[in-house]
Amino acid sequence: MSRVYNFCAGPAALPEAVLKQAQSELLDWHGKGLSVMEMSHRGDEFTSIAATAEQDLRDLLGVPDNYKVLFMQGGASQQFAQIPLNFLAEGATADYIDTGIWSRKSIEEASRFGNINVAASAKEYDYFAIPGQNEWQLSKDAAYVHYASNETIGGLQFDWTPQTGDTPLVVDMSSDILSKPLQVCRYGMIYAGAQKNIGPSGLVVAIVREDLLGRARASCPTMLNYKVAADNGSMYNTPPTFSWYLSGLVFKWLKEQGGLEAMAKINHAKQALLYQTIDASDFYSNPVASNARSWMNVPFRLADAKLDKAFLAGADERGLLNLKGHRSVGGMRASIYNAVSLEAVEALVAYMQEFEKERA
Ligand SMILES: *Cc1c(COP(=O)(O)O)cnc(C)c1O
């Protein structure tokens, strides 16, 4: 068996140690004679798996006691509707920041439920820079302010946290949660689809401040109501048990790596190496402003797009997979989430330099 270096944007690479542990426990979890997939979600075994995963996530992020951690389905995209259904009363206004494709999708969906004020847009910078907060036009009485901390496709990431005073700040952290330490108390709600930096797809994790629960519209479907999820320990119905379990293994792995401080160090080294390589050459380029460059998703272009195919083919041969950029952007993109090692980035950089030498 040989494992490739996987730069997929999502579903993304998982730590090999986690996959091996899941493999060793697959048929017989902890001597119980059955797989996690075959357990009742209400039994003692899965209840302990679920509680341990939640506690480990709380430990990693330092989640304060007045926040609920919810494990739900429907991915981050379902949150785009769930957030207004829970927090935006009929006729009320919410502020959204547009920094790319994912925030635009959240705006489009929320607009179905109420007044959405796009308080700032990176459009004026061709989506290569993030407007500073002094440029934002926030509403006086917004129900909340929503933004995406990392735009997975454009490779644009906030390196600062917006200040919204008493207005709850809601953030889509699908592609950068757990990549570095975080001050949860600055947010009303944090959410992330699992398949980038948490675990397998089929799960979305939300961290919601308790005072925001119970504001859902009467028309909000039961399954989409955060209070129902919170009151039922995320088990109003059958949760995605295997994804929850595997995410728990990832949380344990992150703790073993030294937690988020340690991950931030490694992630810093990974992105620095890759951007330095790109910047040092005229053959590769990345257009994003230096203070808005993503640590997790690094899009780059070859000077001559006619070489894209050969670049990707050569990468595949070396076991460097899924480097093709998003179809809406073209070029290349290396997603370098927590489970992608510094060694993987070093292998990518070595290949990039070799390819440049041959083709430039
Ligand atoms: C991937 C992604 C989404 C969509 O996630 P799904 O779980 O597929 O719905 C939303 N926002 C961001 C920032 C993402 O990276």
Side-chain angles (χ1 to χ4, degrees):
M1 184 204 72
S2 76
R3 299 253 312 152
V4 298
Y5 292 126
N6 182 6
F7 298 94
C8 191
L14 285 162
E16 191 169 309
V18 163
L19 294 174
K20 283 196 171 136
Q21 186 177 345
Q23 182 183 43
S24 77
E25 295 178 343
L26 189 67
L27 296 182
D28 178 7
W29 183 83
H30 292 202
K32 300 290 178 184
L34 78 175
S35 163
V36 173
M37 278 182 276
E38 306 165 296
M39 289 174 182
S40 164
H41 56 295
R42 309 216 183 264
D44 290 344
E45 292 86 3
F46 189 76
T47 305
S48 81
I49 289 170
T52 304
E54 176 177 337
Q55 190 56 51
D56 285 334
L57 180 61
R58 282 181 173 276
D59 294 347
L60 284 165
L61 288 170
V63 178
D65 289 343
N66 63 324
Y67 285 76
K68 295 285 189 201
V69 176
L70 308 177
F71 292 83
M72 297 177 288
Q73 305 186 46
S77 300
Q78 184 162 285
Q79 295 304 309
F80 296 166
Q82 230 169 310
I83 287 162
L85 282 169
N86 278 272
F87 301 146
L88 188 61
E90 305 268 359
T93 297
D95 286 341
Y96 276 67
I97 311 303
D98 164 27
T99 49
I101 287 171
W102 289 115
S103 41
R104 287 208 297 284
K105 285 201 167 181
S106 68
I107 290 165
E108 199 179 295
E109 187 72 357
S111 299
R112 301 159 68 90
F113 301 101
N115 308 321
I116 300 305
N117 169 47
V118 179
S121 174
K123 190 171 183 189
E124 53 183 309
Y125 302 112
D126 293 328
Y127 294 98
F128 296 150
I130 293 172
Q133 197 168 332
N134 55 340
E135 298 166 61
W136 296 14
Q137 309 282 332
L138 295 173
S139 313
K140 278 215 168 52
D141 48 4
Y144 59 88
V145 178
H146 179 280
Y147 77 113
S149 53
N150 184 58
E151 282 286 354
T152 318
I153 294 170
L156 209 63
Q157 183 178 30
F158 279 75
D159 71 345
W160 50 284
T161 305
Q163 307 257 8
T164 54
D166 290 338
T167 308
L169 184 59
V170 177
V171 63
D172 176 357
M173 277 195 189
S174 293
S175 49
D176 64 347
I177 194 167
L178 297 170
S179 64
K180 55 186 177 184
L182 183 67
Q183 267 187 301
V184 174
C185 64
R186 313 254 318 246
Y187 299 89
M189 171 174 166
I190 296 165
Y191 67 99
Q195 68 275 17
K196 278 100 184 212
N197 231 356
I198 294 179
S201 60
L203 180 73
V204 58
V205 174
I207 302 167
V208 189
R209 213 173 62 211
E210 278 170 0
D211 62 286
L212 298 174
L213 298 170
R215 298 184 182 188
R217 296 177 182 202
S219 61
C220 178
T222 308
M223 276 293 293
L224 303 186
N225 189 322
Y226 297 135
K227 184 158 194 311
V228 173
D231 289 349
N232 290 279
S234 302
M235 296 195 198
Y236 176 78
N237 76 332
T238 316
T241 51
F242 197 77
S243 293
W244 193 333
Y245 151 77
L246 211 99
S247 300
L249 297 185
V250 172
F251 301 150
K252 279 265 186 280
W253 177 81
L254 286 169
K255 281 182 146 180
E256 284 161 18
Q257 306 309 300
L260 302 191
E261 298 276 356
M263 292 319 297
K265 272 199 193 123
I266 301 169
N267 287 327
H268 180 273
K270 281 153 50 185
Q271 59 84 30
L273 176 61
L274 193 42
Y275 284 115
Q276 276 159 20
T277 305
I278 292 166
D279 290 344
S281 100
D282 295 327
F283 190 76
Y284 301 107
S285 65
N286 167 290
V288 178
S290 60
N291 69 345
R293 280 177 160 181
S294 171
W295 285 25
M296 293 284 106
N297 311 96
V298 182
F300 61 93
R301 286 183 178 284
L302 277 56
D304 180 358
K306 286 200 284 296
L307 293 175
D308 284 4
K309 255 192 162 163
F311 180 87
L312 289 167
D316 272 14
E317 266 169 35
R318 285 162 182 78
L320 306 163
L321 257 59
N322 294 314
L323 286 164
K324 193 173 176 177
H326 190 267
R327 59 187 186 280
S328 66
V329 182
M332 307 298 150
R333 172 176 51 171
S335 293
I336 50 174
Y337 301 118
N338 284 339
V340 178
S341 62
L342 178 59
E343 185 194 24
V345 177
E346 286 165 351
L348 170 60
V349 161
Y351 169 61
M352 287 169 70
Q353 288 168 341
E354 185 189 316
F355 188 84
E356 177 177 358
K357 235 185 228 154
E358 276 173 21
R359 303 295 185 114

